[in-house]
Amino acid sequence: MSFLEHLEELRWHIIRSILAIIILMIVAFVFKNIIFDVVILAPKSPEFFTNRMLCQLGELLNTTLLCINTRPLDLINIKMSGQLTTHIAVSLVAGLILAFPVVIWEFWKFFKPALHTNEAHHARGAVLVSSLLFFTGVLFGYFMLVPLSIHFLGSYQISATVANQIYVRSYIGTISSICLATGLIFELPIITFFLTKVGIVTPRFLIRYRKHAIVLIVVLSAIITPPDIFSQLLVSLPLFFLYQIGISISKRVMKKKEKEREEFMKGDSSAQSDKTRS
């Protein structure tokens, strides 16, 4: 295929990805009650799963510190068209999240013809794993980080004379950024796999700079979580675990590459020997 034919092929993959996002966005727009009442607004309620579990854990430990979001957070709308634009924006974010596997699948189909048979097989597995990791990260952010963020940011006061009146767009923006950030961060093993595959990183590199990675993980955790130690540890530990998994994946990829190189060299040596004999 020529360069322009490749561009044409890529254009159709992008169009199909955008159509999937739009279709799922419309579905999310129609099911407004489920998206808002059941999903988005649920973490601010005392009856939310995480809030109840932490409070029960606090009762077992004889402490009230773990009881978070005991009072429902009141949200306000300050613009005439605010609720409509919020509805559209949330539907778009929901479409992006739900269509993530479709987008990954379309781009995999575009790159598939350039891969060898065994590489295409591994890439297919990578599509499934990347989707699972992304949704695991989104769920982790939603059930673990969002309730803690709502509790901390919603109840924080610089003075008793300043009351919090939370704008609904600010609330939804916080939830969206946390869930999308954790979803993308959980893609670390897949990113490590492909970077090792193309030779950008090696297991030795990852091990050598592990201490630097720990510092970066702590800083990143501080950025996407409320400024309290418990939330930062809650994010830092899974990220460090994912980094360790990335090192193991990188070792396996390098070992396989070395094995393929040895087999290639043996085959090349055999061909040279046969040529010399003839």
Side-chain angles (χ1 to χ4, degrees):
M1 295 176 65
S2 66
F3 178 73
L4 292 177
E5 287 174 334
H6 277 99
L7 286 180
E8 178 67 15
E9 185 71 17
L10 177 61
R11 185 171 73 92
W12 282 107
H13 287 294
I14 293 174
I15 289 173
R16 284 192 289 268
S17 299
I18 293 174
L19 283 175
I21 294 171
I22 292 173
I23 291 170
L24 291 170
M25 174 185 172
I26 293 172
V27 171
F29 189 89
V30 171
F31 292 95
K32 175 182 69 173
N33 294 336
I34 296 175
I35 294 295
F36 283 93
D37 295 335
V38 178
V39 179
I40 293 177
L41 300 178
K44 71 184 185 66
S45 170
E47 298 303 316
F48 185 64
F49 175 78
T50 305
N51 299 333
R52 289 189 290 107
M53 292 300 103
L54 286 176
C55 198
Q56 290 177 11
L57 180 61
E59 291 176 359
L60 292 175
L61 299 176
N62 196 25
T63 177
T64 59
L65 295 176
L66 294 179
C67 286
I68 62 173
N69 299 315
T70 53
R71 295 181 181 178
L73 191 68
D74 293 325
L75 302 177
I76 62 170
N77 174 52
I78 59 175
K79 294 182 178 180
M80 181 68 73
S81 61
Q83 297 206 38
L84 176 61
T85 56
T86 299
H87 188 187
I88 295 171
V90 168
S91 299
L92 175 59
V93 173
L96 286 170
I97 292 175
L98 295 174
F100 182 82
V102 179
V103 175
I104 294 295
W105 176 260
E106 286 295 335
F107 278 96
W108 174 78
K109 282 169 56 177
F110 175 72
F111 288 110
K112 182 181 176 182
L115 302 176
H116 297 295
T117 305
N118 60 333
E119 291 176 334
H121 175 72
H122 290 300
R124 182 182 300 176
V127 171
L128 175 62
V129 172
S130 64
S131 299
L132 291 175
L133 286 173
F134 177 76
F135 285 117
T136 301
V138 169
L139 291 174
F140 175 80
Y142 178 74
F143 282 101
M144 300 305 298
L145 300 184
V146 166
L148 293 169
S149 300
I150 292 172
H151 175 72
F152 180 83
L153 299 175
S155 61
Y156 187 84
Q157 287 183 296
I158 56 174
S159 172
T161 60
V162 181
N164 284 332
Q165 291 185 320
I166 311 299
Y167 181 31
V168 64
R169 289 292 294 270
S170 175
Y171 169 87
I172 293 173
T174 300
I175 292 178
S176 301
S177 60
I178 289 174
C179 290
L180 287 173
T182 51
L184 294 175
I185 288 171
F186 269 57
E187 296 291 324
L188 184 60
I190 297 295
I191 295 171
T192 304
F193 171 81
F194 283 107
L195 290 180
T196 306
K197 197 75 175 173
V198 299
I200 296 177
V201 300
T202 62
R204 184 177 298 178
F205 174 86
L206 294 173
I207 294 171
R208 180 181 179 183
Y209 289 98
R210 180 158 40 194
K211 293 181 180 179
H212 301 77
I214 292 173
V215 175
L216 185 62
I217 285 171
V218 172
V219 172
L220 187 61
S221 302
I223 292 173
I224 66 174
T225 61
D228 65 89
I229 299 298
F230 181 71
S231 299
Q232 291 177 15
L233 284 175
L234 201 62
V235 177
S236 298
L237 291 177
L239 288 183
F240 181 71
F241 180 68
L242 289 171
Y243 187 84
Q244 290 297 120
I245 292 177
I247 292 176
S248 300
I249 291 173
S250 183
K251 286 180 178 178
R252 291 186 62 182
V253 172
M254 285 299 296
K255 188 179 294 185
K256 187 173 181 180
K257 287 175 70 175
E258 290 173 0
K259 185 179 178 181
E260 290 175 352
R261 183 176 178 275
E262 289 175 0
E263 290 177 352
F264 174 78
M265 294 301 292
K266 287 179 181 179
D268 189 55
S269 299
S270 300
Q272 289 290 341
S273 299
D274 294 339
K275 187 176 179 181
T276 302
R277 290 172 185 174
S278 61

